[in-house]
Amino acid sequence: MDWPRANSPLEHSTSSCHRFTPQDCDEEADGVQSKERRAYVKVNMDEVIVGRKICILDHGGYSSLALQLEDMFGKQSASRLRLFQAGSEFCLFYKDREENWKTVGDVPWKEFVESVKRLRIGRKSKSLLSYSPTFS
Amino acid sequence: MDGAPYLRKVDLKLYKTYQELSDALGKMFSSFTIGNCGSHGLKDFLNESKLVDLLNGTDYVPTYEDKDGDWMLVGDVPWDMFAESCKRLRIMKGKEATGLAPRAMEKCKNRNYK
C-alpha cells in the first residue's frame, strides 16, 4: 500500500509544485514556500463532504484542469463531469481574490491563475446568484 | 476512526512523510478493523481516484479538518503543508466520504472529535 507522495509527478502535469523539496530550502525558501502555498487551491463538489486540493501551477490551461478534476470527482456522477462541454450537468466556479464567486473559463488562463483562490464544482441547474456558499 | 470505540492523539511532528503517518495509523487502529485496515497500514489508502472508487463503503478514507474547518482528503499537498494545516484527522468510512448527504456533513461538523 502506498500513499501518493506529494513530490511524485502527477499524471497530467508538469508538477512544478511537487519539485519543491526540503533540500531546496535556502534564503529563497520563504518566497518559494509562500508561492507554492498560494498555488494550492481547495476544490469542493456540491454535496460531497471531502474536498481535494490541486496545484494550479501544474496546469497550462483549462482543459488540463478539467482533466484532473475529472479524475478526482468524475465518478461522483454517472454522466461524469465533462466540465466545459456542452450538455454537461456541471459547472466550475472559482472564488477570486476579491472573494467573488465567478464562472471558470471567462478570462484568459494566466489571469485566472493569478486570481483563483478556491474552486467549486456545482450543478448547472443551481443558479450562481442563488448560491449560498457552504464553503467560505 | 469511524467505528472505533475511542479516539487517539497523534503528534504530526513525529512524522516526516505520509507513509510514516500511514504506517503509524495502521498500527494504531489495527485492532479495530479486519481486512482493509490491517496491521500493514491502511490498505489502498490513497491513489488519485480512490476516493470515488469506494462504492461499497467498506474501505476507509483518511481525511483531515484544516484550520478553516474544511474536511479534505489526506495526501494532496506536500507533507509540511499538510502538517501545518491539519487540526484533526478522521479515518472516514468510504461511503460517507463520497456521499452525498447534508446530514452526513452535519454529523461531520457536530461530532466532537478532540
Side-chain angles (χ1 to χ4, degrees):
Chain A
M1 174 271 306
D2 284 315
W3 290 32
R5 285 177 288 282
N7 58 0
S8 60
L10 292 175
E11 201 177 322
H12 301 293
S13 73
T14 56
S15 309
S16 53
C17 291
H18 298 297
R19 289 199 196 109
F20 176 79
T21 62
Q23 288 88 323
D24 295 335
C25 286
D26 52 21
E27 57 274 3
E28 291 178 330
D30 285 348
V32 173
Q33 282 178 345
S34 72
K35 182 188 173 193
E36 184 190 39
R37 194 169 300 277
R38 279 198 305 273
Y40 280 94
V41 297
K42 290 182 187 175
V43 189
N44 287 95
M45 180 169 174
D46 281 358
E47 300 170 0
V48 179
I49 296 170
V50 178
R52 301 294 300 267
K53 273 200 144 170
I54 62 162
C55 179
I56 204 75
L57 296 179
D58 279 350
H59 301 285
Y62 290 118
S63 53
S64 169
L65 173 64
L67 270 175
Q68 187 181 18
L69 296 180
E70 192 71 64
D71 280 346
M72 286 181 163
F73 293 96
K75 289 178 191 170
Q76 291 291 341
S77 164
S79 57
R80 316 269 304 177
L81 297 183
R82 297 187 297 127
L83 293 170
F84 308 124
Q85 294 178 35
S88 166
E89 291 177 49
F90 297 95
C91 195
L92 187 61
F93 304 105
Y94 73 105
K95 187 161 78 165
D96 66 11
R97 298 204 175 277
E98 285 81 44
E99 307 284 309
N100 297 315
W101 283 95
K102 295 177 176 171
T103 305
V104 171
D106 287 346
V107 300
W109 173 255
K110 279 192 176 167
E111 193 177 319
F112 166 73
V113 166
E114 279 161 24
S115 59
V116 63
K117 272 182 64 175
R118 188 161 189 159
L119 288 166
R120 180 179 74 90
I121 300 166
R123 289 190 182 272
K124 277 185 182 171
S125 52
K126 286 187 181 176
S127 158
L128 190 61
L129 291 173
S130 65
Y131 169 59
S132 306
T134 306
F135 312 104
S136 55
Chain B
M1 177 173 187
D2 287 358
Y6 50 80
L7 305 177
R8 299 294 301 268
K9 278 204 155 177
V10 290
D11 182 356
L12 292 180
K13 292 196 277 293
L14 294 178
Y15 311 107
K16 294 190 182 57
T17 65
Y18 286 113
Q19 187 63 56
E20 288 179 15
L21 175 64
S22 170
D23 291 343
L25 292 178
K27 287 182 190 141
M28 205 178 268
F29 291 106
S30 60
S31 54
F32 302 126
T33 63
I34 51 174
N36 292 327
C37 292
S39 56
H40 300 291
L42 293 159
K43 182 187 170 187
D44 289 336
F45 209 80
L46 276 180
N47 58 51
E48 276 293 318
S49 59
K50 190 60 182 176
L51 175 65
V52 295
D53 283 338
L54 301 171
L55 298 175
N56 61 9
T58 58
D59 285 294
Y60 291 87
V61 177
T63 65
Y64 69 101
E65 186 184 19
D66 68 9
K67 290 177 176 174
D68 299 325
D70 294 321
W71 287 91
M72 311 298 297
L73 188 72
V74 170
D76 283 337
V77 300
W79 170 261
D80 289 340
M81 199 183 291
F82 160 73
E84 194 189 300
S85 61
C86 174
K87 254 178 45 177
R88 177 152 75 181
L89 282 166
R90 180 178 167 199
I91 304 168
M92 206 181 277
K93 280 194 178 143
K95 210 178 347 185
E96 188 159 352
T98 56
L100 292 175
R103 173 176 53 85
M105 189 181 288
E106 282 309 304
K107 269 171 61 179
C108 218
K109 284 180 183 166
N110 296 334
R111 192 172 296 172
N112 189 22
Y113 288 104
K114 292 218 192 312

